[in-house]
Amino acid sequence: MENILEVNDLHVSFDTFSGEVKAVRGVNLELRRGETLAIVGESGSGKSVTTKALMGLIPQPPGRIKQGEILLEGRDLTKLSEKELGKIRGRDMSMIFQDPMTSLNPTMKVGNQIMEGLIKHQKMARSEAKKRAIELLDMVGIPKPTERVDQYPHQFSGGMRQRVVIAIALACNPKLLIADEPTTALDVTIQAQILELMKDIQKRTETSIIFITHDLGVVANVADRVAVMYAGKIVEVGTVDDIFYNPKHPYTWGLLGSMPTLDNAEEELFAIPGSPPDLLNPPKGDAFAARNEYAMKIDEEQEPPMFKVSDTHYAATWLLHEHAPKIEPPEAVKKRMAGFAEASANGGGQR
């Protein structure tokens, strides 16, 4: 299948009073047409910085793309001016941000906010743009769209506001949609509705989606492939089944083991010890070594390459070297993996 997006050796830094923060350190990823790629990791792992770099939204200064390529349908976005990027944003790629409260202009009717992109990028007349805005509100599940198109954001609930944000992002039929933790500010019930909405819209529009989240439960339900980020790097990438049934990186084990389950309230959660490294001075070897109980001497001296597990699955850990000791995931992680497999076999929503 054809790639719509390719990111090659992306480095993003921020210049601060304390020095250079290397927030993204050599990210490589690809996205196929109609595919959903989830990027997961702790806060500060570089997920949002990576996607803002894709959109050309890194504030300069203090931020800068030091090196790398961002190829959208073969066109390198890092070489474009702000004016050229402005023509692409909204038309070819759009972004859904975390908080619908701050994503919408409180002084503008929601219909006008949807119409802006249609008028700018598709040169629609206002009457035609308003008709399309009503269609979009209906598509994202807003009741009585002909009435609500003339209402203001404060007249909508949090879940409805996020639906409006999605309508704005989809207005010009973008080829790439980036969703940066779009359900974080919503309660669990509304969260599920928004995720179902995004899956349904993707089926209808064949939009490619990058979904940023720290919640692996969300990933299991929406993604085709998963990239696990740590300290500004992708440390494991594979299909959802690869990551949930056969994880290889100790950091991925930690993320899976720390997921709560509903079937055993007394079960103790697995916790990753320590904290992420200071990216003002990234460690010499494997950035996860200090928190990794299975770390070897080489982890402190040399950064691991991406080892191939299968045609779809790669992980950057020295544990995959042919001479490394054979280490099994912790019991807490094995239980999660068994739970995913059982839920999947029973036709459950979560793997």
Side-chain angles (χ1 to χ4, degrees), residues 184-246:
T184 299
L186 307 175
D187 66 55
V188 175
T189 304
I190 303 302
Q191 184 179 97
Q193 293 175 7
I194 295 296
L195 293 175
E196 280 300 317
L197 170 64
M198 292 186 67
K199 286 198 292 185
D200 179 57
I201 287 171
Q202 185 180 40
K203 285 179 185 175
R204 285 190 274 169
T205 62
E206 295 188 341
T207 302
S208 301
I209 298 176
I210 294 178
F211 199 99
I212 307 299
T213 184
H214 61 271
D215 185 345
L216 280 168
V218 168
V219 169
N221 290 308
V222 301
D224 299 304
R225 287 190 306 123
V226 182
V228 180
M229 279 196 80
Y230 183 77
K233 289 179 170 287
I234 290 176
V235 297
E236 185 162 10
V237 63
T239 65
V240 169
D241 287 352
D242 290 333
I243 300 302
F244 279 82
Y245 302 151
N246 190 31

Side-chain angles (χ1 to χ4, degrees), residues 92-240:
D92 296 328
M93 57 181 181
S94 292
M95 192 163 188
I96 303 169
F97 294 96
Q98 281 189 33
D99 187 359
M101 290 290 288
T102 57
S103 299
L104 296 171
N105 185 333
T107 68
M108 287 179 64
K109 295 176 181 178
V110 298
N112 288 338
Q113 295 186 58
I114 299 171
M115 291 160 58
E116 271 188 321
L118 295 168
I119 294 168
K120 177 181 178 181
H121 294 298
Q122 300 196 349
K123 311 302 180 188
M124 285 188 181
R126 284 194 63 83
S127 58
E128 186 183 2
K130 185 168 184 178
K131 182 180 177 183
R132 175 62 178 155
I134 293 169
E135 291 173 358
L136 285 161
L137 288 176
D138 184 51
M139 183 175 77
V140 299
I142 301 287
K144 300 180 180 178
T146 51
E147 297 175 22
R148 308 214 72 174
V149 73
D150 290 319
Q151 293 182 341
Y152 291 89
H154 73 268
Q155 296 173 277
F156 292 74
S157 67
M160 288 296 175
R161 277 194 290 262
Q162 193 62 296
R163 289 171 186 264
V164 172
V165 171
I166 293 171
I168 293 170
L170 294 172
C172 296
N173 300 313
K175 297 159 187 171
L176 170 63
L177 180 63
I178 298 171
D180 187 359
E181 305 212 33
T183 58
T184 299
L186 307 175
D187 66 55
V188 175
T189 304
I190 303 302
Q191 184 179 97
Q193 293 175 7
I194 295 296
L195 293 175
E196 280 300 317
L197 170 64
M198 292 186 67
K199 286 198 292 185
D200 179 57
I201 287 171
Q202 185 180 40
K203 285 179 185 175
R204 285 190 274 169
T205 62
E206 295 188 341
T207 302
S208 301
I209 298 176
I210 294 178
F211 199 99
I212 307 299
T213 184
H214 61 271
D215 185 345
L216 280 168
V218 168
V219 169
N221 290 308
V222 301
D224 299 304
R225 287 190 306 123
V226 182
V228 180
M229 279 196 80
Y230 183 77
K233 289 179 170 287
I234 290 176
V235 297
E236 185 162 10
V237 63
T239 65
V240 169

Side-chain angles (χ1 to χ4, degrees), residues 14 22 52-53 60 72 137 160 203 240 249 255 276 303 324:
F14 292 87
K22 302 175 179 71
K52 284 177 181 174
Q60 301 181 40
L72 182 65
L137 288 176
M160 288 296 175
K203 285 179 185 175
V240 169
H249 199 286
L255 293 178
E303 191 176 310

